[in-house]
Each structure stands twice: as C-alpha cells, then as structure tokens.
C-alpha cells in the first residue's frame, strides 16, 4: 500500500522555465511533508518542507504547495537550472504518531539547455 | 556541520553471508531510519528507531534486523544475504520535533551487491 505516490517517473523542462513536481498521499494523519533531491550515488538532500497548518512555503527558487482536501502537494522550481537535474522525492510523516518517514517513488527531472 | 556516516560506500557479499551495515550520526538525534532505494520503487523504509533499544518495522522488514545499543549508532543486519537484497541502502536521522524546515539527514548510501 503506497501511502505517498509520485505518479510521474520523469519530467523534462527547458532551462529558465518552471518545473512542477507532483505528489499525492493517502494517509490523512500525515501532517508534515518534505521534498528531497538526489543525485546518483549520493544520499538525498533536503530542499523544503511544509506543515499541514500552511498551504504554501517558499525558499528562494523553491515553493511547495499543499492542498489538504485533495491530499496533494507540489514543488515548483522557478527558474529551472541545469543543476536542478536530479531525482526528486516527496516524503510525509505524522508528527504526533510513530514518525515513520514515508517516501514516494521519485520523479527524475531533466533540465534541457 | 551535521553528519550521518555510513561505514561503507560499496560492498560485495556472497549469498548466505551475514552482513552488517553501520550508521553513525553526530547530531544527538532520537530518530534513525534505514531505507533501501530501488529503481521505480523509491525509498522504502526497512526499520526505524526512535530511541536506544527501541525499534519499529517499516514497510519491508523481512530478511533484515536492526540494533541500536547507543543513541548515535544504528546497525542494519542482513541475517542471510540474498540476491534480491542487492540495493542502495540509505541511513537517516532526525529530531523527534519536526518544526519549521526540520529535516531528516541522510548518509551517503551503501551500494550492496549480493552475488
């Protein structure tokens, strides 16, 4: 039972344009969400997070949007740069519960020059 | 600078061997996690520990066990390695208090090949 789903295995975007990565979750107890970026043969690195009391969080070129009623979140990267090419994972947990951090399958983002 | 260190970057083991993957964090974090990453499947949680000697099964615990005798160290044990355990293994740690921009920190990963 995949509680966090990233339905797009890959995404290709032109340099300078907006990249939008999507994530859906099924467990309504999740109240904290994170996005990670991963290069091959390295551990994931944290990008941005959002708690369920907010619907938007912004950090530089990265913005995460949360739609609780739809159980959906998205990561926007503007403008996209070649160094953004990587695999992006969304993750979720229930802060007051067991705090098992659950990840999606990942989306491979390619930024074309 | 925060650090999660995994003992090996690459390992090759034979089928049936007992394999130990070690992870050490220097941030005094309560939570520690072990994941495996496989193409198309993302990061799947194997085991999770929220305190010394405390552990919980993740989504795919079969064939694995863990040990947390000290707060900073979390070991993943493959009791009898099999070829379907060939994967990238990732360790992470975090505080229990997930506030604004709190994250789980990851190690660099161990690429395990079972032959």
């Amino acid at each position: 039972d995949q509680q966090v789903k990233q339905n797009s295995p890959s995404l290709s975007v032109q340099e300078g344009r907006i990249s939008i990565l999507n994530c859906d979750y099924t467990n309504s107890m999740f109240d904290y969400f994170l996005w990670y970026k991963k290069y091959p043969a390295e551990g994931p690195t944290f990008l941005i997070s959002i708690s369920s009391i907010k619907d938007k969080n912004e950090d530089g070129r990265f913005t995460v949007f949360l739609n609780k009623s739809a159980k959906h979140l998205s990561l926007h990267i503007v403008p996209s740069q070649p160094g953004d090419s990587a695999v992006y994972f969304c993750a979720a947990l229930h802060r007051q519960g067991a705090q098992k951090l659950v990840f999606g399958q990942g989306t491979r983002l390619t930024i074309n020059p | 600078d925060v650090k999660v260190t995994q003992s090996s970057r690459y390992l090759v083991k034979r089928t049936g061997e007992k394999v130990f993957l070690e992870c050490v964090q220097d941030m005094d974090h309560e939570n520690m996690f072990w994941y495996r990453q496989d193409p198309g499947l993302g990061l799947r949680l194997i085991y999770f520990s929220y305190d010394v000697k405390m552990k919980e099964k993740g989504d795919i615990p079969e064939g694995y066990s863990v040990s947390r005798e000290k707060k900073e160290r979390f070991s993943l044990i493959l009791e009898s390695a099999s070829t379907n355990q060939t994967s990238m293994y990732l360790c992470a740690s975090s505080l229990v208090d997930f506030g604004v921009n709190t994250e789980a920190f990851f190690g660099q990963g161990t690429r395990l090949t079972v032959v």
Side-chain angles (χ1 to χ4, degrees):
Chain A
D1 178 30
Q2 189 83 28
Q3 297 185 73
V4 178
K5 298 180 186 179
Q6 295 175 255
N7 292 317
S8 299
S10 62
L11 177 67
S12 189
V13 173
Q14 206 73 17
E15 182 179 357
R17 307 294 289 268
I18 183 170
S19 296
I20 300 176
L21 297 107
N22 293 302
C23 179
D24 298 294
Y25 61 97
T26 57
N27 188 338
S28 57
M29 299 300 290
F30 288 149
D31 59 4
Y32 194 81
F33 305 89
L34 306 91
W35 282 95
Y36 281 82
K37 174 180 177 179
K38 188 180 184 300
Y39 294 118
E42 293 184 14
T45 54
F46 173 75
L47 282 173
I48 193 168
S49 64
I50 189 167
S51 78
S52 58
I53 61 171
K54 301 181 86 173
D55 54 18
K56 177 181 174 181
N57 189 26
E58 205 169 342
D59 184 2
R61 295 187 299 115
F62 301 94
T63 303
V64 56
F65 295 93
L66 175 62
N67 182 334
K68 287 188 293 293
S69 60
K71 294 193 180 69
H72 176 84
L73 62 154
S74 61
L75 175 68
H76 293 211
I77 306 173
V78 181
S80 301
Q81 299 173 353
D84 296 330
S85 295
V87 178
Y88 289 77
F89 292 97
C90 68
L93 63 85
H94 178 208
R95 280 181 291 185
Q96 303 308 318
Q99 293 200 350
K100 290 183 183 180
L101 185 58
V102 180
F103 281 79
Q105 305 96 312
T107 297
R108 180 176 300 280
L109 176 65
T110 303
I111 306 301
N112 302 308
Chain B
D1 201 17
V2 298
K3 224 165 182 178
V4 178
T5 303
Q6 295 182 229
S7 52
S8 306
R9 290 297 300 268
Y10 300 95
L11 273 179
V12 180
K13 296 292 182 180
R14 294 196 179 279
T15 302
E17 274 193 78
K18 191 168 186 176
V19 181
F20 293 85
L21 302 183
E22 307 286 347
C23 176
V24 177
Q25 51 98 0
D26 64 1
M27 296 165 281
D28 202 35
H29 284 168
E30 296 89 355
N31 291 338
M32 295 189 76
F33 309 84
W34 274 107
Y35 296 89
R36 61 178 282 178
Q37 183 194 3
D38 301 289
L41 299 176
L43 274 66
R44 293 181 292 166
L45 182 64
I46 305 171
Y47 266 99
F48 155 61
S49 169
Y50 52 91
D51 202 349
V52 175
K53 297 190 189 295
M54 307 305 288
K55 61 186 179 186
E56 282 203 22
K57 293 180 180 179
D59 298 319
I60 50 165
E62 297 79 17
Y64 303 94
S65 63
V66 289
S67 171
R68 193 163 179 204
E69 297 296 319
K70 293 185 178 181
K71 191 175 185 180
E72 67 270 18
R73 187 179 295 270
F74 192 35
S75 303
L76 180 69
I77 303 152
L78 286 65
E79 298 291 341
S80 176
S82 64
T83 54
N84 63 13
Q85 293 177 310
T86 291
S87 187
M88 167 72 92
Y89 288 87
L90 291 156
C91 174
S93 73
S94 77
L95 295 167
V96 293
D97 184 18
F98 275 88
V100 176
N101 284 334
T102 303
E103 60 179 282
F105 293 87
F106 278 84
Q108 76 276 32
T110 297
R111 168 68 65 184
L112 173 67
T113 303
V114 183
V115 298

